[in-house]
Amino acid sequence: MVFNTGAALLDAIVLAVVSREPEGTYGYKITQDVRKAIEVSESTLYPVLRRLQKDECLEVYDRQFDGRNRRYYKVTDRGKTQLHLYQSEWKKYSGKINELFEGGVTA
């Protein structure tokens, strides 16, 4: 993709992906789901997850899976509020960009 993904957009995408699972989901699956929309490395994604946890948008817990612990992330109420804000702002922003693109270049 030729467009850069800023921190706010990446936060919004991660919150959207995690919010689809009521009981939360684990890091590798989050990475795979995010990659359906944008190309992102795990080394980029895990700092985003830590930042969202620090900002109290995600809660973290461990669960046993095949004899080892797997770290799960779940959206908090604060994270849901933040996601709604991101969604609202995205609709406005993308609508304006689409208007520009569809209007074409004027001389």
Side-chain angles (χ1 to χ4, degrees):
M1 182 178 285
V2 297
F3 299 105
N4 289 331
T5 306
L9 182 56
L10 195 50
D11 287 359
I13 291 168
V14 168
L15 285 172
V17 164
V18 177
S19 72
R20 295 187 308 185
E21 303 291 337
E23 295 303 312
T25 188
Y26 55 97
Y28 179 75
K29 182 159 181 356
I30 296 168
T31 302
Q32 297 307 305
D33 290 347
V34 168
R35 284 182 176 162
K36 292 175 183 174
I38 61 170
E39 187 54 42
V40 64
S41 67
E42 288 182 33
S43 62
T44 298
L45 184 65
Y46 281 97
V48 172
L49 291 168
R50 284 193 294 276
R51 180 176 63 246
L52 289 170
Q53 179 187 2
K54 181 180 168 237
D55 292 344
E56 299 178 353
C57 291
L58 292 177
E59 61 184 35
V60 178
Y61 63 95
D62 292 333
R63 181 185 287 171
Q64 284 277 32
F65 181 79
D66 284 345
R68 61 184 186 92
N69 277 341
R70 182 181 271 176
R71 179 147 293 176
Y72 279 74
Y73 299 86
K74 182 178 179 181
V75 176
T76 62
D77 288 340
R78 184 175 185 157
K80 290 175 187 173
T81 300
Q82 187 64 38
L83 177 57
H84 291 304
L85 173 66
Y86 284 140
Q87 289 169 328
S88 173
E89 289 297 312
W90 178 255
K91 285 179 185 175
K92 290 180 210 171
Y93 176 78
S94 62
K96 290 178 182 180
I97 297 299
N98 284 334
E99 284 178 26
L100 288 172
F101 284 165
E102 291 168 9
V105 178
T106 59

